[in-house]
Structure formats: C-alpha cells, structure tokens
Amino acid sequence: MLWLVVAALAVRQMAVVLRQPPGERLTDLETWIGENGVLHVTGSLYDSDRFTGTPFAGLVLKPLTRIAEQSLGVAWTFGSLLLVAALGIVAARALPGPVSRRTALPAAPVAISLLMLSLPVRNALHLGQTSILPVLLVLLGCLAVRGERTSGILIGLAAALQPTVLLFVVLLRLTGRRQAAATGGAAFAACTALAWAAMPGDSWTYWVHHVAGAGLGGDADGLANQSLHGALLRFGLAGPLEIALYVVLAAAVCFFGLRRAARYAGDGQLLLAVAVTGCVAVAVSPTAWQHQLLWVLLAVVGRVGKRASDRLVWPAVVVLVLTLPGQILLPNIEAVSPVRDNVLLIAALAAACAVPFLPRTSQYWQHPIPTDCAAPVPARWSRIPLLPFWRRVLSRPNLLLELLLIRVVYSAYSHVRLAATAGRATAEHHGRQIHSIEQWLHIDIERWANHAVVNIGWLRGFFDYYYSTFHFIVPLVILGVLYVRRPADYRWARSTIGFATLLALVGFWLYPLAPPRLMPGLGFIDTVHGVQDFAKPDYGSLTEMTNQYAAMPSLHFGWSLWCGVVIVMLAPKAWMKALGLLHPLFTVSAIIATANHWVLDAVGGAAVVALGFGLTHLLAGPRRLRPVAVPAAAKPQDDLERSVSVPVPRAPDEEVGSKQF
C-alpha cells in the first residue's frame, strides 16, 4: 500500500509539472538550455541573473541544449523523480541501528513519500533545478559506496555543483577518513579547473567577482533565501557590519555543527551526521534557496526526548516545516513575522547546533519512558481496521506538538472552507430551499429577529460584538484550561471538536448555502458587515477572507454548543455549568439576529457536534476510564497524571558504532 502511495505521488508530480504551459514549467531549466537560454547565447553565463549554478554545472548542462524541449521536459522530470526514489532508498538503508523489521519494511516508501511532499523537492521539480543530485551524491559517498577514493570523488563532484558541500570534506577529515577527504578536495579542484580552462571568464565572474556565487539569482534579502546572510539582510543590517556579523555567526555554526556531526558519526548515526552537516551548509551559504534545503528533512532521523509522548515532536516539526509554508504554520501576526519568514533557517540552525539528539548509548534510545494509557475498552466494531487500536492517553500531551496540530488543522480547515464553493446560484437555490422548509415548519423567525434587533441599538451592538469576538476565544480558553488542569479530558475534548469540524467541512463542500444576509429580495439587514452590494458576486473583500456560502452547518453555534456541553460535563460547580449554557444561547441568538445563519444551520451545527462526541466515544470509549495500574515505585508527576516508568538497564560505557565515518 505504501508503494502504491509512492506511485500515486510520482504520477501526480509528473502531471502537475507537465500540465503547466511551456512558459510556466521548468522555468529555471528553460532559462538555461531553452532556445533563448543562457547556455545557447554567446557571452557570459552571468550576464543576467538567470543562471546561478557553478561554471562546472554550466559545462555539464551544455550537451542538453541539443535535446528537443518537449522530450527534455518529460525526461528531466522523470529523471528527477528517479533521483528522489534513489535518495529515499539510500536514506532508508542508512537508518541508525538496531532497526526492527517492522521499521525497515516501510522505511523506503515512507522516506520517498516525505521527499516528494517536501517543499524543496516540489520546488526543484517545478523549476527544473539540479539540487537533488548533490544530496544524492553525498549520501552515496558517505553511506553507500565502498572505497575511500570513490566516496571522495562523489563528494567532490557534488561540491563542484554546489560549493557549500565542501563542508563534507571537513567532516570526512574530522571522522578520520583522510584519504576520502583528500580525494574529495582533489576531485572538486579538478572539476573546477576543468570548468576554468573551458570558461575562464565565467569562472572569474563566479568565483572572484561574485565570491562563489554570492549575489546571483534573486534578491539576497528575499524570503526565498533561507540563510544567515539573507536573514541578517531582512533584519535591516547591511554593509560591513552585516558582513562581519555574518562571518562570525557562520564560523560559530560551522564549529559547533561540524563537531556535533562528527560526534554522531562516531556514535554510528551516520545519516544524522550527514543531515547535521547539510544543515550547517544551508545556514552558512550566502544564498540558500528553497530547492537547496533538502538537508533539513534528513534530520528527521534524529531521536529526541526521554518520554514516548515527546518522541514525535521533533519529526513532526521537521515534516511540517518542510512540507507546509510558514504562512500556514504561524498566524499572520507582526510579532511572529521574523519566525514565520525564517522558519526553514531556524529549523536548519536547530538541527545543526541545538536539538539534543540522543546517542545510541542512551537508555532511552530503544526504550523511552512509556505513555500512561487508560485501560482498553472492548471495541464494538472490532473487525474494522484501526478502531480497536485507539487508546485514551492520560498524560499531558506535548505543548509544542499540540500548538502545531491546532494551527495546521485550523489552516487546513480555512483553506478547505474557502475552496468549498459551487457558485452563487447554487448557494442561493439552497438558501431558498432552507427558507421554504423553515416556513413549512413555522420556525422562520430570522427576519423578525433581525429587524427587531436593528431597532434596538444597544442590543444590536451586543450581538455584533458577540458574533465577531467569542467564536474563537471561548473554545481556546476551554482547551487551555483543560490542558493545564485536566490533561486526560483535554485529549478527549480536543478529539470531539476536531471530529465535529471535519464533519462540518463535508457539509460546506456538499451543500453550499447562502446565509440570510446574502439572499436578495428577502429584506435581511447585515448588521455585522454592513450593506451588501448584490450586483457583485464576490461581495467585496469578504470573499478573500472566508467562504461566504459555508453556512451549513453553523460552526459558530456548533463550537459554542461544544463549549457548553464540555463545561456542563466537567465544571465542578452548578453556577459554572449554568454560565456555560449561556454561551450557546447567546451565540444562537447572535447568528440569527445578525442574519448570518438560518435556524436550520444551528440544527446542523448541533448535529455535527453530536456526531463528534459519538465518534470519540466509539474510538476512545467512555470519558470516565480507569487508568492502567501504576507500579508502586512510579513517582507521580503532578496531581493529575502519572508516568509509567519501565526500568531499562543502562548500556555500558563501551564505544558503540565505528569511529571511522
């Protein structure tokens, strides 16, 4: 099944690239070897900023100018996908041992899938870049081939294509592979000298005038440049001060990062050592474009954390950062913009210098502290795959992982909601259907409530403010309180609202519905957004922020009902329960009085919340569960959770793995 996923992703990537118009696909490759590309035109490769590779790369690409454009596009994309597959297989075979058969079997297809989904690979396939090849050459030289000379030649070729790869020669030297290091340096020098003899002017421009390519391509202070140099320029530094600070920081990153890489190589974690060195190369390079950041994804193999519940945090961070843009990971708030704009650089710096990867001698390497789970409940549908394996976890989840999960799920929800539209005519037709059903049921109170509130100024202001403000605040506050005070109930409550939201997305997609305020001819007044111009199908700038026709079911009421139910179930005092019931009451009044929802929208919101609670009960069992018996020697972490600690004998202090890398 995993290999079928790999095949589907490969076909999709081919289709995405080849379905684009000729002028919009493989744009970098076209500017190099196309009819009017820089490799065809007489003169310097660097007369314009279209070619950013080394002179040796230009020399290697010259023969491709004779291939027809259409066949080159297919062959280049297919060849790039083969390189990705080879890269995933080599990485999977280099996982630090001991590796169980359960891990080894899916390792290759999972690695290839992650590579294909990553931003660097997608960017390289779209642009027609060569950045996958140096990574594969380095992995082959460090992990796969036998013989010091062969390893050195492969790394030297990679450095001739991407100069910062020369840092791997330093790593070879630090790990005792002197012959491979010397051969790598010699191979790089030979390739560079060959290009210098064939193209002396271009070589002078690249190596001397531009100092190893610095300044070529796009603006160095653009968001696409995820290096220390680019970040310093974005912070407003320039001139000699910026250069001096960049040199100092780059030297520090090289010193600490390469020492860590050599230590992990000596520990037998060779793939992690390669990833750390690659992250150092990303940070210290004058320009590190998105298609050159594949090294960061390889750092996912590092193990971090003593507890089993914390073990997934680092892989989740790496995968999310390398597969989703920063605009999705972090909100569009000015205070976090420096982090959002440099999130890939931060991940590379963290992997190179900061993340405390476990050594293989650690007692937690194979046996992390297990997570405290509730006693399993017999599954009603035990024959259905996956359902019997859902377990309630009683310990508090990792905060970073939860924040990432909430942010990414909400961003995906926003994008799907915005895309789930079938047009104005369909939404208005559904609106007339809902209005007719309510008239038949004699519950069409929306227009009466809307006009009654409009005539009472203070009440209109209250409902407008309540509708705009409390929709997000109250659920987040409840989740925060549960996370701190009731961690086991937090997981259960978070799952219910998550299921309800996913079910609501299905409703938005299958049944686009115009709310009362966007129904022409019915006389509703939009008290929150102001008068709508029905001559404009997009109703101004509102459509850019959210789908105007995602009204059925109403998550405004659904989320508020979830808040009320959770408060009633978990609040310790009666007045708290009564106060919790006021929130869904005020919310349903606000959505109807402001003409943002029909009454049946609220019924739909209640239905998805009920289904969310039902699915959670089906998968996780009843809310009140007895915890698994805790050994008497286990120490309570706090008054709400206990950690089951399994004593694992500490490995002796003998040397693990080969010191020769």
Side-chain angles (χ1 to χ4, degrees):
M1 291 299 296
L2 289 174
W3 283 112
L4 288 177
V5 171
V6 170
L9 288 174
V11 172
R12 178 183 178 276
Q13 293 289 6
M14 287 279 291
V16 167
V17 173
L18 299 180
R19 281 191 302 184
Q20 293 177 332
E24 298 179 9
R25 70 185 182 202
L26 304 174
T27 52
D28 282 2
L29 183 64
E30 176 66 21
T31 59
W32 300 344
I33 60 180
E35 184 178 352
N36 299 316
V38 294
L39 298 178
H40 275 293
V41 179
T42 58
S44 175
L45 294 173
Y46 308 107
D47 285 340
S48 66
D49 60 355
R50 293 184 297 172
F51 188 77
T52 61
T54 63
F56 179 74
L59 191 64
V60 171
L61 291 171
K62 276 277 189 181
L64 297 178
T65 57
R66 300 185 181 92
I67 303 177
E69 178 184 348
Q70 185 64 31
S71 60
L72 177 61
V74 175
W76 186 275
T77 305
F78 184 71
S80 298
L81 290 173
L82 289 180
L83 293 180
V84 172
L87 186 61
I89 292 173
V90 173
R93 291 172 62 90
L95 291 176
V99 179
S100 64
R101 187 170 182 268
R102 184 177 180 181
T103 301
L105 282 176
V110 169
I112 298 172
S113 299
L114 288 177
L115 288 169
M116 288 187 180
L117 292 172
S118 66
L119 293 174
V121 168
R122 283 152 50 192
N123 190 258
L125 291 173
H126 170 71
L127 298 176
Q129 275 285 350
T130 61
S131 53
I132 301 172
L133 182 58
V135 180
L136 179 59
L137 290 175
V138 169
L139 287 186
L140 289 174
C142 291
L143 307 174
V145 300
R146 297 181 179 180
E148 296 292 281
R149 291 183 179 178
T150 306
S151 298
I153 290 173
L154 291 175
I155 293 175
L157 286 173
L161 297 173
Q162 191 173 321
T164 51
V165 173
L166 272 176
L167 287 172
F168 285 93
V169 173
V170 181
L171 178 63
L172 292 174
R173 184 67 178 81
L174 291 175
T175 53
R177 297 181 62 177
R178 298 183 180 182
Q179 185 178 359
T183 306
F188 166 76
C191 294
T192 304
L194 176 63
W196 200 293
M199 297 180 291
D202 291 335
S203 297
W204 175 272
T205 301
Y206 182 87
W207 292 108
V208 178
H209 181 69
H210 282 289
V211 191
L216 294 174
D219 295 334
D221 61 348
L223 294 180
N225 181 15
Q226 290 291 308
S227 68
L228 282 171
H229 179 53
L232 292 176
L233 292 175
R234 287 191 289 273
F235 286 139
L237 299 175
L241 176 61
E242 186 273 331
I243 294 175
L245 185 57
Y246 163 65
V247 170
V248 172
L249 291 177
V253 171
C254 286
F255 177 77
F256 290 107
L258 292 176
R259 283 188 62 187
R260 278 163 52 92
R263 187 164 63 248
Y264 295 132
D267 185 54
Q269 301 187 62
L270 308 184
L271 181 58
L272 180 58
V274 170
V276 169
T277 306
C279 290
V280 173
V282 166
V284 303
S285 176
T287 51
W289 308 118
Q290 189 176 83
H291 55 82
Q292 298 172 335
L293 304 180
L294 199 52
W295 304 105
V296 184
L297 183 60
L298 299 179
V300 76
V301 299
R303 299 190 186 183
V304 184
K306 300 178 181 179
R307 297 172 55 87
S309 57
D310 298 336
R311 188 58 64 85
L312 290 177
V313 175
W314 172 247
V317 170
V318 173
V319 171
L320 290 175
V321 167
L322 267 293
T323 55
L324 297 176
Q327 292 80 1
I328 291 181
L329 291 174
L330 295 171
N332 188 20
I333 301 175
E334 186 176 357
V336 298
S337 60
V339 177
R340 186 184 66 242
D341 295 343
N342 302 287
V343 65
L344 288 167
L345 171 62
I346 293 172
L349 288 173
C353 302
V355 178
F357 299 114
L358 291 175
R360 293 200 304 167
T361 54
S362 171
Q363 61 176 325
Y364 305 108
W365 172 265
Q366 283 290 102
H367 304 284
I369 299 174
T371 303
D372 188 9
C373 297
V377 177
R380 185 173 300 174
W381 292 278
S382 58
R383 296 181 180 179
I384 300 178
L386 299 183
L387 293 188
F389 304 106
W390 185 293
R391 298 294 175 87
R392 284 280 301 280
V393 180
L394 303 182
S395 62
R396 183 175 292 109
N398 185 278
L399 179 59
L400 177 60
L401 199 60
E402 288 298 302
L403 293 176
L404 285 171
L405 176 66
I406 292 173
R407 175 59 189 171
V408 172
V409 169
Y410 177 72
S411 297
Y413 156 77
S414 300
H415 282 75
V416 173
R417 175 187 168 113
L418 191 61
T421 177
R424 176 182 179 181
T426 303
E428 290 180 354
H429 173 67
H430 291 162
R432 288 188 288 271
Q433 286 181 342
I434 293 294
H435 189 227
S436 299
I437 294 173
E438 290 189 352
Q439 286 179 323
W440 182 72
L441 294 173
H442 300 289
I443 58 173
D444 55 325
I445 62 172
E446 294 89 356
R447 190 176 186 278
W448 167 80
N450 178 236
H451 284 261
V453 168
V454 167
N455 296 325
I456 306 175
W458 68 268
L459 189 58
R460 170 179 175 171
F462 170 76
F463 281 136
D464 288 353
Y465 181 79
Y466 205 92
Y467 175 85
S468 305
T469 305
F470 291 92
H471 178 45
F472 296 105
I473 292 179
V474 178
L476 290 177
V477 168
I478 290 176
L479 287 174
V481 171
L482 292 180
Y483 179 85
V484 175
R485 302 295 301 273
R486 311 275 295 261
D489 286 323
Y490 164 81
R491 293 178 183 269
W492 171 82
R494 179 250 284 147
S495 298
T496 59
I497 194 172
F499 283 133
T501 304
L502 292 176
L503 292 170
L505 284 179
V506 178
F508 298 155
W509 194 276
L510 297 179
Y511 197 77
L513 173 66
R517 63 185 177 84
L518 296 183
M519 288 293 295
L522 295 185
F524 287 97
I525 300 172
D526 190 346
T527 64
V528 177
H529 307 100
V531 179
Q532 298 294 333
D533 184 0
F534 289 100
K536 296 181 179 180
D538 59 352
Y539 303 110
S541 60
L542 289 176
T543 304
E544 298 177 2
M545 297 182 290
T546 185
N547 180 10
Q548 301 299 295
Y549 299 133
M552 171 64 81
S554 169
L555 279 186
H556 257 85
F557 178 70
W559 285 0
S560 68
L561 180 62
W562 173 86
C563 295
V565 172
V566 170
I567 292 175
V568 169
M569 294 180 68
L570 302 180
K573 297 183 179 180
W575 67 268
M576 295 180 181
K577 300 178 186 290
L579 192 62
L581 291 176
L582 290 178
H583 179 51
L585 176 62
F586 285 158
T587 301
V588 71
S589 302
I591 63 175
I592 293 175
T594 59
N596 275 280
H597 283 284
W598 305 95
V599 171
L600 288 180
D601 295 347
V603 175
V608 295
V609 170
L611 288 173
F613 278 101
L615 283 173
T616 305
H617 181 83
L618 168 66
L619 295 172
R623 183 182 67 85
R624 294 183 179 277
L625 298 177
R626 292 184 304 169
V628 176
V630 180
K635 296 181 179 180
Q637 290 198 345
D638 53 32
D639 58 334
L640 294 169
E641 58 175 316
R642 291 177 181 267
S643 213
V644 180
S645 179
V646 178
V648 179
R650 181 180 296 273
D653 293 331
E654 75 269 16
E655 186 175 346
V656 177
S658 174
K659 288 293 183 181
Q660 297 297 317
F661 171 41

